[in-house]
Amino acid sequence: MNKFEKIWVTKEGKTDEILRDLKLVLQKNLADKIFLRQKNLSPSEYEKLANSVLALAKNKCELVIYNHAKIATTLKLNLHFSYENFIKFDKNELKNFKFGVSVHSLSDALQAQKFGASYVMAGHIFASLSHKSQEPRGLEFLKHIVLNLQIPVYAIGGINSQNIELIKSSGAKAACMMRGIFT
């Protein structure tokens, strides 16, 4: 990956809201990738939504599946794990995937790298509505992860148009945004 990427991470919501937001993301060319992070859907509902996203996104944006290895295999897409699901996943099966992992510490990041992650998503960097009660980890945390890994580091958490340049200058290869992609 040579260029800095913008990644839209879908927030929990109704399918019609996600598809409406997706149309805006695609129309305005706001993202290079979409991480379909719907935690509360059944596997069949998730797969149906993923197929709808693929139909709309066509070749405009890469779709990444969140935690659903079987669906990623079926749809021939890349996979992203929460750290909790990554730890539980059979490490022998990881060789079948191009995957990334959400991390919240250097030790998490090193573990993901050791088992073949293509990238890690480190966060949360800035204050975020998704983590209102938790202190952000900040830019020094992000820089520390970047300096200690040989794989790309993506940043997440409170990123928007006002602070994205700070993410770029930290050495991160991508900014992952939920609401901030629309600012």
Side-chain angles (χ1 to χ4, degrees):
M1 169 180 26
N2 295 327
K3 73 175 191 124
F4 184 83
E5 292 185 309
K6 292 181 183 177
I7 299 170
W8 180 45
V9 180
T10 61
K11 61 183 176 65
E12 294 299 326
K14 296 180 180 170
T15 299
D16 59 333
E17 293 169 351
I18 294 161
L19 295 175
R20 180 201 65 217
D21 288 348
L22 171 65
K23 288 175 186 174
L24 181 61
V25 166
L26 295 171
Q27 180 184 47
K28 294 191 174 192
N29 198 28
L30 297 175
D32 302 294
K33 292 181 184 174
I34 301 162
F35 281 36
L36 193 58
R37 188 178 181 252
Q38 304 321 114
K39 299 178 186 179
N40 297 326
L41 296 179
S42 70
S44 63
E45 292 170 321
Y46 186 98
E47 186 169 8
K48 182 178 178 185
L49 176 59
N51 278 308
S52 296
V53 170
L54 281 171
L56 286 170
K58 298 184 177 85
N59 296 323
K60 298 176 189 173
C61 236
E62 178 185 339
L63 177 61
V64 177
I65 299 298
Y66 190 83
N67 283 334
H68 290 278
K70 287 180 183 172
I71 295 170
T73 300
T74 300
L75 299 178
K76 297 181 174 80
L77 296 172
N78 294 335
L79 181 61
H80 184 85
F81 288 106
S82 65
Y83 190 75
E84 296 76 24
N85 283 332
F86 165 70
I87 290 300
K88 296 177 199 171
F89 200 78
D90 180 352
K91 302 301 184 270
N92 293 321
E93 290 186 39
L94 289 175
K95 64 184 177 289
N96 299 323
F97 296 98
K98 181 175 179 192
F99 69 95
V101 180
S102 294
V103 299
H104 301 97
S105 70
L106 178 58
S107 63
D108 290 355
L110 291 169
Q111 185 78 351
Q113 179 178 266
K114 175 183 173 184
F115 284 103
S118 300
Y119 65 89
V120 296
M121 183 190 295
H124 68 284
I125 306 306
F126 302 113
S128 164
L129 290 174
S130 300
H131 298 281
K132 288 184 235 179
S133 63
Q134 299 171 348
E135 277 293 311
R137 290 180 174 81
L139 288 169
E140 291 306 313
F141 163 78
L142 180 59
K143 290 175 187 175
H144 187 66
I145 300 288
V146 168
L147 287 172
N148 284 282
L149 266 69
Q150 284 83 50
I151 58 174
V153 177
Y154 299 178
I156 192 168
I159 302 168
N160 56 44
S161 61
Q162 287 81 41
N163 59 26
I164 196 167
E165 289 303 319
L166 296 170
I167 298 300
K168 286 181 185 178
S169 65
S170 73
K173 299 297 183 190
C176 302
M177 299 171 275
M178 290 181 176
R179 297 161 203 84
I181 202 148
F182 299 108
T183 63

